[in-house]
Amino acid sequence: PPPAGSPWAPWCVPVDDIGDRLLPPGPIPAVGRKHDAIAAKRLGYRAEMELLRRAADSIRLNVFKAFPDLEPNEYLLYDLETRGLVGIQVKSVTFPTGAAKAQVSVYRPALRPSPHTWFVIFLEDEGKTDFMDHCAVMPSAVVAEDLASHVVHGKLLVTHELTGRMARWRVPLGNLGTRLAQLADGTA
């Protein structure tokens, strides 16, 4: 305990009671909707892990995580044979049940289109625990051109099956490691 008369006395608690002070016992109030900020962060984390898993399919690639997390290039892929280097921005989106389209949020102030920066967009259906069997691998310049608005958080419209203008960027998930190696060695 603090000395008698200390101005800190009202704020001091025994070590064993710190948890109750920070988070009082009782029911935890519901926060937000089903797809709140925590769900979005979890989806983003899963997408990053999927990128790493698929990049590991290529023995030519070394993967580096930017720290601190840089918006334009979250990951750098280095080709061990050609010494090529490419930056990857990972995005993900959940399609509500029955929806044919969804929007991927892109932070426009950090978007710096470059031939050495690509977006990998993972897709999932609401309520599913794994990603669809295809993803989009797009140059950052195309993403910048296709954003649906000019606000800070631009919206990139994608279709469920990556059809129409998105068709040329569709990559089967099983081939993503090979595609990433092509980006890094410059044969994209």
Side-chain angles (χ1 to χ4, degrees):
S6 168
W8 294 103
W11 307 110
C12 293
V13 295
V15 172
D16 292 341
D17 295 340
I18 290 175
D20 290 337
R21 175 62 75 86
L22 296 175
L23 186 61
I28 298 173
V31 178
R33 301 178 355 227
K34 183 177 180 183
H35 289 286
D36 61 4
I38 294 172
K41 286 183 186 278
R42 181 170 291 136
L43 176 63
Y45 177 72
R46 286 181 43 235
E48 289 187 34
M49 293 304 101
E50 188 69 17
L51 175 85
L52 293 173
R53 185 171 88 86
R54 299 300 176 158
D57 289 343
S58 174
I59 60 172
R60 293 177 54 167
L61 292 178
N62 271 353
V63 181
F64 301 92
K65 171 75 171 155
F67 185 81
D69 190 347
L70 301 173
E71 187 69 23
N73 294 299
E74 291 177 287
Y75 291 90
L76 295 175
L77 307 179
Y78 176 73
D79 187 299
L80 296 169
E81 293 178 19
T82 66
R83 297 184 181 208
L85 193 64
V86 69
I88 300 293
Q89 174 64 223
V90 181
K91 294 292 182 184
S92 53
V93 67
T94 301
F95 286 84
T97 304
K101 297 176 183 176
Q103 292 183 339
V104 177
S105 182
V106 178
Y107 185 61
R108 291 185 63 94
L111 179 58
R112 301 287 186 264
S114 163
H116 302 289
T117 300
W118 289 72
F119 278 67
V120 176
I121 305 169
F122 293 96
L123 316 169
E124 76 165 6
D125 283 317
E126 184 176 44
K128 301 287 182 176
T129 58
D130 51 357
F131 290 108
M132 292 181 197
D133 63 358
H134 57 277
C135 64
V137 179
M138 301 176 67
S140 58
V142 171
V143 172
E145 292 170 7
D146 285 359
L147 289 179
S149 68
H150 297 286
V151 296
V152 170
H153 290 281
K155 303 296 181 190
L156 177 68
L157 187 65
V158 295
T159 57
H160 192 271
E161 296 301 320
L162 296 176
T163 55
R165 66 176 178 63
M166 296 295 291
R168 72 183 287 199
W169 311 116
R170 181 185 166 120
V171 174
L173 217 49
N175 296 346
L176 182 56
T178 301
R179 181 68 178 127
L180 293 172
Q182 291 170 339
L183 297 178
D185 77 9
T187 62

